[in-house]
Amino acid sequence: EKEFGMRKAVAAAINDAEVPDVNGLALKAMSLGKDLFRKGKNVVLNVSDMESKVRDATSGEKWGPSGTLLNEISMATTDPAHLEVVLQCLWERLKESGSSWRKCYKALNVIDYCLKNGARRFVDAVRDNVDRIEACKRFQYIEPDTGRDQGLNVREKCKALVDLIESPERLAEEREKARKARDRFHNSSSGGVSSDDLR
């Protein structure tokens, strides 16, 4: 009986011991490897820091960009040189098709975020190029394994975005909401761009 109690205690201790999550470690290692590969590729191809940020925000990964990354991109639109880089990358991503639907979808999300939070020049440039966004209304892709129409995500986001762009009053309301949110979360002592720069 004493031996059985001892075995039971050892088994409980083993069950309670922290065993590393092998799957979690493998995912972290894979993510780190992809990140290193992407950074190395950017260096070899002489990709600018801003272009790299936009590419990361519109990657084909299953997860979306961080709020910090979106904010950095939208704040960069106040600089004319960065604005050109951001727009060029986004226009390229909108040309993606088929199984690269996530890149196109995320580009639409970045445009949406920058319309609401970016420089006024970004809004004007997007209005002047709304036809590039409207082209996504015809996006088609059905996953072969599941039969899911992933193109629907792109088409719906495209429609919502075009509706926003074509409604100056609604866009102004959305920009004002975003400005108020920025003012709540970022005070002027943190440095950076003030809300007045984005009007």
Side-chain angles (χ1 to χ4, degrees):
E1 208 175 297
K2 196 173 188 181
E3 189 177 311
F4 177 73
M6 185 77 112
R7 285 184 185 170
K8 191 174 179 184
V10 169
I14 290 171
N15 284 340
D16 291 343
E18 287 191 33
V19 178
D21 177 15
V22 177
N23 288 334
L25 288 174
L27 287 174
K28 285 180 185 177
M30 188 170 70
S31 178
L32 179 63
K34 283 183 178 180
D35 189 44
L36 287 173
F37 175 77
R38 190 177 295 134
K39 286 180 180 177
K41 187 170 128 184
N42 288 341
V43 169
V44 170
L45 296 176
N46 198 24
V47 173
S48 73
D49 186 46
M50 184 50 53
E51 185 176 352
S52 175
K53 287 178 181 182
V54 177
R55 284 181 174 199
D56 286 347
T58 60
S59 72
E61 302 294 338
K62 290 183 180 180
W63 52 85
S66 69
T68 303
L69 184 57
L70 287 171
N71 188 53
E72 287 177 20
I73 294 168
S74 71
M75 292 298 110
T77 62
T78 60
D79 177 326
H82 285 154
L83 174 64
E84 274 305 308
V85 171
V86 169
L87 287 168
Q88 196 60 38
C89 289
L90 292 172
W91 301 148
E92 285 302 313
R93 290 300 203 197
L94 291 181
K95 293 177 185 175
E96 298 285 347
S97 62
S99 61
S100 295
W101 67 270
R102 280 190 183 93
K103 293 177 182 180
C104 185
Y105 181 75
K106 287 180 183 181
L108 293 170
N109 282 328
V110 171
I111 292 169
D112 184 44
Y113 188 90
C114 290
L115 281 171
K116 295 172 185 173
N117 294 280
R120 192 78 204 160
R121 285 181 287 208
F122 181 88
V123 174
D124 295 338
V126 170
R127 270 201 185 113
D128 292 343
N129 290 279
V130 73
D131 56 312
R132 295 178 190 234
I133 296 168
E134 285 180 326
C136 296
K137 285 182 178 178
R138 297 181 298 278
F139 195 96
Q140 296 291 322
Y141 180 67
I142 297 179
E143 281 187 348
D145 299 341
T146 63
R148 283 184 64 185
D149 181 6
Q150 296 295 2
L152 179 65
N153 297 321
V154 175
R155 293 189 304 271
E156 286 179 350
K157 184 66 182 181
C158 173
K159 182 183 179 326
L161 201 51
V162 170
D163 289 347
L164 179 65
I165 294 165
E166 291 178 347
S167 174
E169 301 82 24
R170 196 166 136 244
L171 181 55
E173 288 172 16
E174 291 294 328
R175 287 180 62 81
E176 183 60 21
K177 278 189 222 174
R179 186 192 63 77
K180 287 179 180 176
R182 269 194 316 277
D183 289 347
R184 267 197 315 270
F185 295 114
H186 305 289
N187 60 33
S188 59
S189 66
S190 66
V193 180
S194 74
S195 293
D196 292 334
D197 293 333
L198 303 173
R199 289 187 183 191

